[in-house]
């Protein structure tokens, strides 16, 4: 073989290696072990304080990660405030007046910046906060993969179209999650996060006054006390009446009793393809916890910015 051929082989091999590295510039649980070894402990301290002050914040922090990942991938685009050049995702209909916990993420970021300035991304803080929130309210824990970077853009438009809604039929829920690389089983498991948190009256009003066969009459009547047929749109009700502050499989037991608060909850047990999964989770806390953790890890893998893509924001709500 000639030297020119040798050179070609070497160059081709390097290009192939580089291409493979680019394809597999994947996240790693050890990403900050050398650059910021106390990052996860620091974040957890902030999250623990927030949830001990307000138990409901656990649901809000899990939801933040979810609403971030479904729009442009897990890149902290949701955290960006409105500017002359950025139309914030915060003002999109699925987020407006309901997504919360931004200050907690900023608190965690501020603490991490004190010891490791410019190292830990806001996108990773969101992922870690969601895991810590789950474990602090009785849900599963998991090993968070790290190495995401932060976007310099947001997409109000995608936030309006890509996030699943409380009135979505089953086929739309399945296809919406499939579009993000998540299976039907992942979708049902992730819906179990509605074991904690609250919903505003206008999101479940039609359901509780529908006289439908898919809702328990007593449950509808109870919910109606805090959600009249007109006004009081922002009144809150727990998504799970039984253990509202515990991330457990009670959500699925409620569906069996036709006590899903949102239409998008109850459709998971409505004679369709997800019935068997709901029944399995209602009978097995272990199966639900295991699948929920796996689905959260999978969700955290949606289109992350890695390597030289994106930036590390100093403040989560603004570009440096």
């Amino acid at each position: 073989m000639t030297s020119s051929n040798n050179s070609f082989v070497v160059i081709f091999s390097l290009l192939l290696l580089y291409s493979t590295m680019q394809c597999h510039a994947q996240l790693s649980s050890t990403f900050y072990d050398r650059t910021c070894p106390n990052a996860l402990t620091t974040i957890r301290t902030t999250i623990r304080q927030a949830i001990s002050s307000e138990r409901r914040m656990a649901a809000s922090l899990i939801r933040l990660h979810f609403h971030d990942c479904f729009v442009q991938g897990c890149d902290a685009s949701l955290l960006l405030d409105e500017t002359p050049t950025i139309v914030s995702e915060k003002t999109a209909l699925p987020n407006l007046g309901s997504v919360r916990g931004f200050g907690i993420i900023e608190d965690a970021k501020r603490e991490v910046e004190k010891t490791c300035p410019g190292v830990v991304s806001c996108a990773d803080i969101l992922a870690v906060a969601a895991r810590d929130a789950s474990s602090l309210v009785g849900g599963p824990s998991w090993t968070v993969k790290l190495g995401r970077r932060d976007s310099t853009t947001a997409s109000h438009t995608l936030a309006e179209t890509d996030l699943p809604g409380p009135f979505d039929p089953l086929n739309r829920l399945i296809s919406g999650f499939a579009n993000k690389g998540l299976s039907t089983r992942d979708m049902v498991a992730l819906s179990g996060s509605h074991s904690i948190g609250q919903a505003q009256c206008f999101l479940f009003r039609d359901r509780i006054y529908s006289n439908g066969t898919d809702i328990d009459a007593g449950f509808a009547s109870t919910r109606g006390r805090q959600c009249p047929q007109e006004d009081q749109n922002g009144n809150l009700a727990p998504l799970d009446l039984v253990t509202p502050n515990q991330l457990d499989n009670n959500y699925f037991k409620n569906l069996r009793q036709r006590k899903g608060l949102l239409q998008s909850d109850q459709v998971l047990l409505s004679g369709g393809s997800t019935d068997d999964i709901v029944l399995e989770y209602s009978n097995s806390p272990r199966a639900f916890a295991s699948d929920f953790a796996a689905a959260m890890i999978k969700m955290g893998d949606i289109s992350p910015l890695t390597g030289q893509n994106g930036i590390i924001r100093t403040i989560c709500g603004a570009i440096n």
Side-chain angles (χ1 to χ4, degrees):
M1 188 179 284
T2 66
S3 61
S4 61
N5 281 344
N6 277 331
S7 299
F8 175 80
V9 170
V10 170
I11 291 167
F12 180 79
S13 298
L14 287 171
L15 286 171
L16 190 63
L17 178 63
Y18 179 73
S19 157
T20 305
M21 286 171 66
Q22 288 296 96
C23 292
H24 298 281
Q26 292 303 332
L27 310 175
S28 161
S29 61
T30 60
F31 190 81
Y32 297 116
D33 281 9
R34 291 185 178 182
T35 54
C36 194
N38 294 321
L40 272 63
T41 307
T42 303
I43 295 166
R44 187 175 182 83
T45 299
T46 300
I47 303 308
R48 184 187 288 114
Q49 289 169 348
I51 292 172
S52 64
S53 298
E54 185 195 2
R55 192 87 168 167
R56 180 187 165 211
M57 187 54 70
S60 300
L61 292 171
I62 292 171
R63 189 164 179 246
L64 265 185
H65 183 40
F66 174 72
H67 279 226
D68 177 46
C69 289
F70 262 59
V71 180
Q72 292 191 170
C74 307
D75 61 358
S77 60
L78 174 59
L79 305 182
L80 287 169
D81 292 321
E82 196 93 5
T83 72
T85 57
I86 292 173
V87 184
S88 177
E89 293 170 22
K90 294 180 181 181
T91 57
L93 210 57
N95 296 327
L96 187 63
S98 66
V99 171
R100 55 199 289 275
F102 299 108
I104 307 303
I105 301 299
E106 289 288 8
D107 290 345
K109 175 64 171 172
R110 193 179 309 113
E111 291 304 311
V112 171
E113 284 291 304
K114 288 177 184 176
T115 52
C116 313
V119 173
V120 181
S121 69
C122 299
D124 276 346
I125 291 174
L126 279 174
V128 173
R131 186 272 310 274
D132 291 345
S134 170
S135 65
L136 287 166
V137 291
S141 186
W142 55 90
T143 301
V144 179
K145 292 192 277 183
L146 303 162
R148 300 168 191 81
R149 289 165 66 84
D150 300 323
S151 69
T152 54
T153 62
S155 180
H156 182 100
T157 304
L158 289 179
E160 294 274 7
T161 59
D162 284 16
L163 287 163
F167 311 110
D168 283 356
L170 184 59
N171 62 341
R172 188 179 299 170
L173 290 171
I174 290 171
S175 64
F177 277 73
N179 289 340
K180 304 298 177 184
L182 297 167
S183 69
T184 298
R185 193 173 183 88
D186 294 328
M187 183 271 288
V188 178
L190 290 170
S191 297
S193 62
H194 284 183
S195 164
I196 52 174
Q198 302 189 50
Q200 298 180 74
C201 168
F202 77 97
L203 296 174
F204 59 86
R205 176 182 281 126
D206 287 352
R207 172 160 162 73
I208 63 171
Y209 290 107
S210 68
N211 294 317
T213 57
D214 66 342
I215 186 167
D216 177 84
F219 172 75
S221 176
T222 302
R223 294 275 56 85
R225 291 175 200 156
Q226 293 297 318
C227 184
Q229 286 190 275
E230 293 181 4
D231 302 323
Q232 308 300 317
N233 281 346
N235 280 9
L236 294 169
L239 288 156
D240 171 15
L241 272 174
V242 185
T243 54
N245 294 313
Q246 189 84 2
L247 181 51
D248 55 24
N249 71 328
N250 216 84
Y251 166 84
F252 300 101
K253 294 178 182 178
N254 294 338
L255 299 185
R256 295 183 73 165
Q257 298 172 33
R258 296 177 298 134
K259 294 180 180 178
L261 186 62
L262 302 177
Q263 193 60 42
S264 58
D265 292 324
Q266 196 61 54
V267 293
L268 300 182
L269 187 65
S270 57
S273 61
T274 54
D275 284 12
D276 287 347
I277 308 171
V278 170
L279 296 176
E280 181 185 347
Y281 291 161
S282 71
N283 289 322
S284 174
R286 181 174 294 180
F288 164 60
S290 174
D291 284 1
F292 181 78
M296 288 294 287
I297 292 169
K298 200 169 165 184
M299 186 182 79
D301 279 342
I302 299 174
S303 305
L305 297 170
T306 58
Q308 296 304 306
N309 297 315
I311 61 171
I312 303 296
R313 289 190 221 138
T314 306
I315 298 170
C316 291
I319 295 165
N320 304 345

